[in-house]
């Protein structure tokens, strides 16, 4: 391989890394294929994947979730809340269920807890647009009551499908119901947080592909108990380290 082609490969690799880090879906840098060989193909493939992922998420939302009546929560909702962000995100946050504001706006984590989540994401050196934010349940439980087991069961295939399309490197479960549901456990969030667990896409522990999952406190809980914020920041720093993001001070 010539020096020039090595340099071009190195430059493209760097761009790919940066794009991936930032969750960008930009068009690939134009380089002569003869020089760059398979690297251009890889970059083009990634852009195609981004389009595919976005399209697949859109179809899942519009064809399955929006009209869903698989559980009783369909009766009280204003609209479903699919979740939003990058279709190729390296990091996905999963909360419990839409609240009042989310039900009204059709977006995940846009109320007061959502504002704190935004701060947490920004403190990590990221933005809401480059991660993906969603919930276990896509419809608001009346009066924000805890989700029932049958509702979680009815809705869980949508989350699994979302996560298998996005295929993130790390998941963060926000709060006890999300963590317990995703990890199939009755352990408390206080016991679960602070270390990575495996989330199995199949829904069955030990079966098929898994994604590292960090459980942490829900931002709504942190609003009530601000002294616990430092623990969540420790959890998020572990997530940053796992993603190769520079760990900063809060
Ligand atoms: N709480 C959640 O768990 N999810 C939201 O989207 C908002 C508040
Ligand atoms: Fe369907 Fe989930 Fe909404 Fe229940 S909560 S109606 S399963 S989308």
């Amino acid at each position: 391989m010539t020096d020039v082609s090595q340099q071009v490969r190195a430059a493209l690799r760097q761009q790919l890394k940066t794009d991936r880090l930032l969750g960008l879906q930009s068009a690939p840098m134009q380089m002569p294929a003869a020089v760059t060989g398979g690297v251009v193909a890889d970059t083009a493939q990634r852009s195609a994947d981004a389009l595919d992922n976005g399209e697949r998420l859109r179809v899942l939302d519009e064809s399955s979730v929006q009209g869903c009546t698989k559980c009783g929560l369909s009766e009280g909702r204003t609209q479903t809340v699919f979740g939003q962000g990058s279709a190729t995100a390296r990091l996905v946050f999963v909360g419990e269920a839409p609240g009042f504001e989310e039900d009204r706006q059709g977006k995940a984590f846009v109320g007061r807890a959502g504002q704190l989540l935004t701060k947490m994401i920004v403190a990590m050196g990221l933005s809401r647009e480059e991660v993906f934010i969603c919930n276990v349940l896509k419809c608001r439980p009346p009066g924000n009551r805890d989700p029932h087991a049958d509702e979680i069961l009815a809705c869980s295939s949508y989350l699994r499908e979302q996560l298998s399309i996005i295929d993130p490197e790390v998941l963060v479960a926000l709060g006890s119901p999300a963590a317990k549901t995703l990890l199939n456990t009755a352990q408390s969030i206080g016991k679960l947080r602070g270390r990575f667990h495996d989330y199995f896409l199949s829904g069955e522990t030990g079966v098929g592909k898994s994604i590292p999952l960090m459980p942490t406190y829900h931002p709504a809980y942190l609003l009530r108990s601000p002294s616990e914020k430092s623990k969540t920041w420790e959890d998020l720093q572990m997530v940053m380290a796992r993603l190769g993001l520079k760990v900063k001070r809060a």
Side-chain angles (χ1 to χ4, degrees):
M1 202 193 303
T2 66
D3 281 357
V4 172
S5 103
Q6 271 170 352
Q7 280 167 17
V8 170
R9 277 170 186 273
L12 273 167
R13 219 174 282 124
Q14 190 55 46
Q15 191 213 354
L16 267 178
K17 259 202 227 156
T18 313
D19 280 3
R20 188 97 175 101
L21 198 67
L22 300 176
L24 294 179
Q25 299 166 23
S26 56
M29 213 196 269
Q30 290 305 310
M31 288 282 173
V35 179
T36 54
V39 180
V40 161
D42 287 354
T43 319
Q45 186 57 48
R46 240 189 64 68
S47 289
D49 283 351
L51 288 180
D52 278 1
N53 283 4
E55 183 64 11
R56 287 170 69 197
L57 287 177
R58 194 181 61 75
V59 169
L60 176 64
D61 185 15
E62 292 179 4
S63 320
S64 301
V65 175
Q66 284 180 20
C68 180
T69 54
K70 284 202 288 180
C71 83
L73 296 180
S74 61
E75 286 158 29
R77 74 184 177 215
T78 306
Q79 57 195 316
T80 55
V81 179
F82 184 75
Q84 71 282 338
S86 166
T88 55
R90 298 179 67 202
L91 175 59
V92 174
F93 290 88
V94 184
E96 180 180 333
F100 177 84
E101 250 335 286
E102 289 75 23
D103 172 74
R104 200 178 70 81
Q105 294 189 35
K107 294 208 172 80
F109 280 97
V110 288
R112 248 165 57 78
Q115 286 165 19
L116 180 54
L117 177 61
T118 304
K119 284 189 189 161
M120 286 156 48
I121 292 169
V122 170
M124 296 173 80
L126 297 167
S127 69
R128 281 180 70 112
E129 291 70 35
E130 58 195 320
V131 301
F132 196 87
I133 304 171
C134 60
N135 288 299
V136 171
L137 293 185
K138 310 309 182 198
C139 303
R140 182 191 182 209
N144 297 350
R145 65 155 168 76
D146 282 354
H148 293 164
D150 62 324
E151 295 159 353
I152 291 173
L153 198 66
C155 209
S156 62
S157 66
Y158 298 136
L159 178 64
R160 275 210 297 278
E161 184 70 16
Q162 285 177 301
L163 295 175
S164 70
I165 293 170
I166 299 169
D167 192 21
E169 287 166 54
V170 179
L171 293 175
V172 172
L174 297 167
S176 174
K180 288 179 180 170
T181 301
L182 294 176
L183 296 175
N184 248 322
T185 176
Q187 276 199 5
S188 72
I189 186 72
K191 289 249 166 63
L192 291 170
R193 63 153 288 276
R195 64 201 153 89
F196 283 101
H197 302 254
D198 288 320
Y199 166 75
F200 286 89
L201 275 172
S202 66
E204 254 184 85
T205 305
V207 177
K209 185 178 155 58
S210 66
I211 304 172
L213 178 145
M214 175 64 75
T216 197
Y217 293 121
H218 194 288
Y221 169 75
L222 297 176
L223 287 171
R224 297 191 299 271
S225 311
S227 62
E228 302 283 52
K229 279 186 189 170
S230 59
K231 290 188 189 151
T232 285
W233 182 236
E234 282 169 22
D235 299 340
L236 296 180
Q237 282 179 308
M238 290 176 70
V239 170
M240 288 162 67
R242 185 105 190 192
L243 291 171
L245 299 174
K246 200 161 181 298
V247 175
K248 295 184 294 184
R249 296 180 54 206

